[in-house]
């Protein structure tokens, strides 16, 4: 199992929820996981029903078997201060630069620098060891930018290493790419069984593969339960209105005479069945498209009660059951 698990997906697919559930699943049986947020939305804090995350690693949950989940919301400005201190020992001078606004200026005018800092901080957590030489975290899970930006986000250090031929910036960029392009990393894509998210997933996988970044799994989120089997759907297409009315009447839902209660139920029921049949066909078609991507495919259920902390633990249990963690 790769130690850096990157989770991306089209907006609205629930990638942050999946990243959080994956962090819980990986922390099972005494493991320690760090869940990293890079977009500044505080989505992790909301899911775990805790206060906004500071720029420090904080324990936010205990998983099954006593494992622990820590979280970190990476602040690009503070990450740059860490970087300057690590490589240039600026100390108070770095803090003075922050007060002057130079750090904010640098991270704003150079988006690539911002991504270098974000990926670099996550990779540092992957490599970090304690005084006994053991990894501080068994796994690091990154809630990454959406699919359309994730390849450039992860590959930015390659570009930086090419621009800065020597020195600490070059060395740091190369060290980060050694992690990101190795078996230590897996990039998972979250999608829905809908045409646009599935197409964006396929495009994202092609871009990741072209950049030689390690693609992990496809996770289909918010899968609705199957209500009717395929043979039942065929019956819906052929059954007559009068037959439905008689069946409703036999079930005690009013007389089958014209204008009766059962008669009035027929059209809404048939309309719902037709809508379900259309959705079933679309989902079946999108599953086939995902199956052609030649990647492990997993599905997480739509939780009827909505997403809360209990739901998050439920999804983590489902991920473990499917062998992802």
């Amino acid at each position: 199992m790769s130690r850096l698990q990157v989770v991306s997906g089209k907006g609205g697919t629930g990638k942050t929820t999946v990243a959080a559930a994956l962090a819980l699943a990986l922390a099972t049986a005494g493991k320690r996981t760090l869940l990293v947020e890079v977009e500044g939305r505080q989505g992790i804090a909301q899911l775990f029903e805790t206060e906004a995350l500071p720029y420090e690693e904080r324990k936010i949950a205990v998983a099954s078997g006593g494992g622990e989940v820590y979280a970190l919301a990476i602040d690009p400005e503070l990450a740059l201060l860490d970087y300057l201190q690590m490589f240039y020992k600026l100390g108070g001078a770095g803090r003075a630069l922050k007060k002057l606004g130079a750090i904010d200026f640098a991270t704003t005018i150079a988006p690539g620098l911002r991504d270098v800092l974000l990926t670099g901080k996550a990779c540092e957590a992957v490599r970090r060891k304690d005084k006994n030489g053991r990894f501080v975290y068994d796994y690091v899970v990154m809630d990454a930018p959406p699919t359309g930006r994730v390849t450039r986000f992860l590959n930015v250090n390659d570009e930086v290493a090419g621009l800065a031929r020597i020195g600490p910036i070059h060395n740091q960029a190369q060290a980060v790419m050694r992690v990101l392009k190795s078996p230590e990393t897996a990039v998972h894509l979250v999608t829905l069984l809908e045409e646009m998210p599935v197409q964006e997933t396929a495009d994202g996988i092609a871009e990741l593969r072209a950049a030689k970044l390690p693609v992990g799994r496809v996770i289909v989120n918010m899968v609705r339960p199957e209500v009717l089997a395929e043979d039942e759907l065929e019956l819906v297409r052929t059954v007559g209105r009068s037959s439905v009315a008689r069946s409703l009447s036999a079930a005690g839902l009013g007389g089958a005479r014209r204008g009766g209660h059962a008669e009035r139920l027929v059209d809404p029921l048939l309309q719902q069945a037709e809508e379900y049949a259309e959705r079933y066909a679309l989902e079946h078609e999108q599953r086939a498209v995902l199956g052609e991507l030649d990647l492990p495919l997993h599905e997480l259920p739509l939780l009827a009660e909505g997403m809360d902390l209990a739901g998050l633990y439920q999804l983590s249990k489902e991920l473990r059951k499917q062998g992802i963690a």
Side-chain angles (χ1 to χ4, degrees):
M1 193 73 176
S2 301
R3 296 190 59 249
L4 175 59
Q5 304 275 314
V6 180
V7 180
S8 181
K10 179 176 169 56
T13 59
K15 70 177 179 64
T16 299
T17 299
V18 172
L22 179 59
L24 275 170
L26 290 169
T28 302
K31 302 293 185 180
R32 177 181 284 191
T33 302
L34 176 65
L35 178 57
V36 176
E37 181 175 79
V38 299
E39 294 186 280
R41 296 184 295 108
Q42 290 293 336
I44 292 171
Q46 294 173 33
L47 280 171
F48 283 93
E49 300 173 6
T50 187
E51 60 188 23
L53 297 173
Y55 181 59
E56 63 182 38
E57 292 156 21
R58 171 182 292 179
K59 185 166 78 171
I60 59 169
V62 176
S64 174
E68 297 175 331
V69 176
Y70 286 72
L72 170 66
I74 303 178
D75 182 298
E77 286 192 15
L78 296 176
L80 180 54
L81 280 177
D82 283 351
Y83 182 88
L84 293 173
Q85 177 60 25
M86 185 183 303
F87 292 107
Y88 297 102
K89 311 298 182 189
L90 290 186
R95 290 188 293 274
L97 284 173
K98 177 173 172 58
K99 288 180 180 179
L100 290 170
I103 292 174
D104 183 48
F105 177 73
T107 54
T108 300
I109 66 167
L113 173 61
R114 180 181 181 280
D115 291 349
V116 166
L117 297 168
L118 295 171
T119 53
K121 186 67 177 176
C123 289
E124 181 275 325
V126 172
R127 298 190 303 260
R128 193 189 314 157
K129 294 183 179 181
D130 61 20
K131 60 183 179 181
N132 297 317
R134 294 176 299 196
F135 287 115
V136 173
Y137 295 107
D138 296 290
Y139 301 100
V140 175
V141 178
M142 180 195 291
D143 178 21
T147 316
R149 294 196 293 115
V150 71
T151 299
R152 182 169 177 80
F153 171 78
L154 294 174
N155 212 39
V156 68
N157 287 276
D158 234 2
E159 298 175 16
V160 170
L163 293 171
R165 298 288 182 179
I166 58 173
I169 293 178
H170 173 83
N171 295 338
Q172 167 72 357
Q174 280 201 321
V176 170
M177 290 316 301
R178 278 196 295 272
V179 173
L180 293 178
K181 291 192 173 183
S182 77
E184 280 192 285
T185 297
V187 185
H188 310 302
L189 296 183
V190 181
T191 187
L192 305 177
L193 288 175
E194 298 173 5
E195 188 172 359
M196 286 186 64
V198 167
Q199 184 59 56
E200 190 162 316
T201 298
D203 293 343
I205 289 168
E207 290 177 4
L208 288 165
R209 285 172 168 165
K212 295 182 171 56
L213 288 161
V215 185
R217 303 163 187 259
V218 174
I219 302 170
V220 183
N221 195 23
M222 294 187 273
V223 176
R224 285 170 284 198
E226 184 176 288
V227 178
L228 299 173
E230 198 159 350
D231 58 336
E232 293 170 324
L233 285 173
E234 186 58 35
L235 183 62
V236 167
R237 298 185 187 99
T238 58
V239 70
R241 293 181 77 261
S242 58
S243 297
V244 176
R246 284 194 297 271
S247 296
L248 290 172
S249 180
L253 294 175
R257 69 184 183 280
R258 188 166 184 80
H261 184 59
E263 177 76 19
R264 292 195 299 272
L265 289 175
V266 172
D267 287 338
L269 284 174
L270 288 178
Q271 183 180 350
Q272 285 189 20
E274 287 170 6
E275 290 173 355
Y276 177 81
E278 288 177 8
R279 178 165 62 83
Y280 180 92
L282 172 64
E283 291 178 351
H284 184 75
E285 180 182 308
Q286 298 310 312
R287 276 194 182 93
V289 173
L290 293 172
E292 294 173 359
L293 298 175
D294 195 28
L295 288 171
L297 184 63
H298 305 271
E299 296 190 3
L300 292 175
L302 174 67
L303 301 182
E305 301 80 10
M307 181 50 60
D308 56 12
L309 193 54
L312 204 56
Y313 277 88
Q314 183 179 336
L315 292 183
S316 73
K317 183 178 180 180
E318 184 64 32
L319 288 172
R320 292 197 303 273
K321 189 191 304 183
Q322 295 187 30
I324 294 181

